[in-house]
Amino acid sequence: MARVVLLVTSPRLPAGLLTAAAWDVVRANPVFAGADGDLVTAVRAAGAEVTVTEDPAADLLAVVASGRTVVWLAGPAGDQALARELGLRLVREPGLAELELMYGSWDPPGARLLDAVAVMDRLVSPGGDPWKRVQTHASLAQFLLEECYEAYDAIEAGDLDALREELGDVLLQVVLHARLAQELPEGEGWNVDDVAGGLVEKMIRRNPHVFAGRTVEDIDEIVDNWEQIKQAEKARGSAMDGIALAQPALALAAKILQRAERAGVAVPLPAADPSPEPAAAAAPPAVDRPDASFAEHGLGVELLAIVARARAEGLDAEAALRRAALAYAEAVRAAEGSA
């Protein structure tokens, strides 16, 4: 029985990358398409004839009525309306032909990232979005932080649907920064492929237990290897180099202490200046978290009391902790130098 073959291909792959079965069917049968394009050009270059038509249903059914199989090169959206029209017609005339859906190529994993890059290019190019076209890396910095915090909030809330959306917003920032970097003067610019390429090289380089056959005993050794490779890459003179100083003071302090411990640099913590005992702070509401340990709750109460005392004394707890953490980092640097 004759067939109407709806050949669907990925618009995100080069047009000529078709399966062997797809090439066989287009070379052996009449081929129709709704418009000229890369796929039509590739099929014609392979020796097949392609007819562009404005009335696809009528032309396809006319071919199968003569007992021949016919191929339709579906557009990027898949031409579902045409498939529905043909399906209804062939249901009414079951002996006329069979309707077959054939995939000539498939989207590879991550293919929609190409769409994100293409859409952003349209938005930042002339005639696109005026707001995005006037942004700079500096003007977007606050939004990058905000989107990361919102993704963190979704993780804390255990809301995976919200996390998916927020990660999309983070990705938007990455793609936008990369597109704006293309506008930099010659020799300074870079693009999203440079970003992705650097990431791929880094992942391969820093995971030799996966890509280079290095044997490891446990996760601790994997982390140690990562830190050693990272240190060799960055050629850092101190364990304190490369710490993100813009992060919140608590996270900054924790990172400084972690780096010092891993580097084996023993520097005593600074002693607090004597001060009057703080007034008793109001007890916070009970923590209703099944996974919160008693010790964690107690620590939170202590930190909250410290912040309350700072507010009562007109002090900035965040700034104070940041200054203390940075001073400790300098002490670590000095200890490294003397060692």
Side-chain angles (χ1 to χ4, degrees):
M1 181 180 292
R3 295 175 296 154
V4 177
V5 179
L6 302 180
L7 184 60
V8 178
T9 58
S10 169
R12 302 170 186 90
L13 292 178
L17 290 181
L18 302 180
T19 64
W23 278 120
D24 288 343
V25 76
V26 298
R27 287 183 175 128
N29 301 286
V31 181
F32 287 79
D36 284 317
D38 292 340
L39 180 57
V40 171
T41 300
V43 172
R44 284 173 174 162
E49 293 185 7
V50 182
T51 302
V52 175
T53 176
E54 296 181 356
D55 192 0
D59 288 340
L60 295 176
L61 292 173
V63 173
V64 296
S66 66
R68 301 184 63 188
T69 290
V70 65
V71 180
W72 174 256
L73 300 181
D79 297 344
Q80 295 181 8
L82 174 61
R84 188 178 303 109
E85 180 182 355
L86 291 171
L88 292 174
R89 175 67 181 274
L90 296 177
V91 165
R92 293 194 298 267
E93 300 181 49
L96 180 59
E98 293 179 345
L99 183 62
E100 177 183 345
L101 177 64
M102 175 180 287
Y103 286 93
S105 59
W106 296 266
D107 282 345
R112 296 311 299 270
L113 293 174
L114 299 176
D115 292 345
V117 173
V119 169
M120 184 58 68
D121 180 67
R122 176 71 181 86
L123 290 171
V124 179
S125 296
D129 177 22
W131 185 86
K132 289 181 177 60
R133 286 176 51 78
V134 300
Q135 297 308 307
T136 66
H137 298 302
S139 69
L140 291 170
Q142 60 171 328
F143 301 112
L144 179 59
L145 281 177
E146 288 173 5
E147 301 300 355
C148 289
Y149 280 131
E150 289 176 8
Y152 185 93
D153 286 344
I155 293 173
E156 286 292 290
D159 190 337
L160 297 183
D161 288 336
L163 176 59
R164 181 188 65 243
E165 179 182 353
E166 298 303 341
L167 288 177
D169 291 339
V170 173
L171 178 60
L172 183 151
Q173 294 297 314
V174 174
V175 177
L176 178 52
H177 276 280
R179 179 59 183 83
L180 291 175
Q182 291 180 227
E183 306 297 325
L184 294 173
E186 186 175 356
E188 299 179 20
W190 40 269
N191 59 29
V192 71
D193 285 325
D194 297 316
V195 175
L199 172 62
V200 170
E201 293 172 1
K202 182 184 296 185
M203 287 192 296
I204 293 174
R205 191 170 58 245
R206 294 189 183 179
N207 291 278
H209 57 289
V210 177
F211 298 103
R214 178 181 293 185
T215 302
V216 293
E217 297 295 331
D218 50 30
I219 292 180
D220 289 339
E221 187 174 350
I222 292 175
V223 174
D224 289 341
N225 287 340
W226 177 283
E227 291 296 335
Q228 292 172 12
I229 295 169
K230 185 176 180 179
Q231 184 174 3
E233 290 173 357
K234 301 295 184 179
R236 290 170 175 163
S238 168
M240 299 296 102
D241 290 345
I243 294 177
L245 302 182
Q247 61 186 305
L250 272 176
L252 175 63
K255 177 61 70 173
I256 289 172
L257 293 171
Q258 178 198 60
R259 286 282 192 91
E261 180 182 352
R262 283 186 175 173
V265 181
V267 175
L269 293 173
D273 293 332
S275 60
E277 287 296 322
V287 177
D288 186 18
R289 279 180 53 200
D291 60 339
S293 67
F294 178 80
E296 182 187 49
H297 174 60
L299 174 61
V301 170
E302 291 181 27
L303 290 172
L304 183 60
I306 291 173
V307 173
R309 189 185 81 190
R311 282 178 55 81
E313 298 176 1
L315 301 175
D316 185 338
E318 171 79 9
L321 178 56
R322 180 177 299 279
R323 284 193 293 269
L326 293 176
Y328 184 77
E330 289 304 313
V332 171
R333 291 180 188 274
E336 289 175 325
S338 62

